[in-house]
Amino acid sequence: QMRLVESGGGLVEPGGSLRLSCTASGSIARINLMSWYRQAPAKDRELVAGIESDGRTNYAGPVKGRFTITWDNAKNTVYLQMNGLKAEDTAVYYCNAETGVRGLERYVHWGKGTLVTVSS
């Protein structure tokens, strides 16, 4: 089965930058979509950014222009470059992957999450 492992979280000051990584391992089938979600304390989990296998991306309004999602197929790794971090970006960030044959099957995989804390 496929396994997703996030890394790169930590403490950063407001205005700083951080890059998160999510690496897939194990039995890797075709990945159609990879996304980053986040969940702040006492808040619901929300979609941050997504990238499809064809390269198309989408971003949540609060991070648009500040975050960039990229996908390195050779390394089976998706990245989230976060610039101009704000206190409200503090959350546990989760990696998500959707696999399967489009129109026939759909499988969802989740990582354990990595904590990002933006504070002075």
Side-chain angles (χ1 to χ4, degrees):
Q1 296 183 353
M2 192 171 74
R3 178 174 174 242
L4 300 176
V5 179
E6 303 98 333
S7 64
L11 176 65
V12 63
E13 295 186 348
S17 298
L18 210 59
R19 188 176 77 158
L20 305 183
S21 299
C22 172
T23 299
S25 62
S27 299
I28 304 175
R30 176 180 175 179
I31 301 176
N32 300 312
L33 172 70
M34 296 199 76
S35 305
W36 284 98
Y37 286 75
R38 69 183 182 186
Q39 186 166 21
K43 299 289 183 63
D44 293 328
R45 186 174 299 186
E46 63 177 359
L47 174 67
V48 176
I51 182 167
E52 299 181 52
S53 59
D54 62 5
R56 287 183 293 178
T57 59
N58 68 281
Y59 299 89
V63 308
K64 191 179 294 290
R66 296 188 296 121
F67 291 10
T68 302
I69 185 170
T70 56
W71 192 349
D72 187 334
N73 289 309
K75 296 182 178 180
N76 294 316
T77 300
V78 65
Y79 303 93
L80 184 67
Q81 178 65 48
M82 305 183 293
N83 299 323
L85 285 164
K86 305 174 181 179
E88 51 263 44
D89 293 319
T90 296
V92 175
Y93 285 71
Y94 298 91
C95 180
N96 173 273
E98 293 188 7
T99 63
V101 179
R102 291 185 183 275
L104 296 178
E105 57 187 0
R106 178 170 177 261
Y107 302 99
V108 179
H109 313 268
W110 289 96
K112 296 295 184 181
T114 184
L115 177 63
V116 172
T117 302
V118 184
S119 177
S120 298

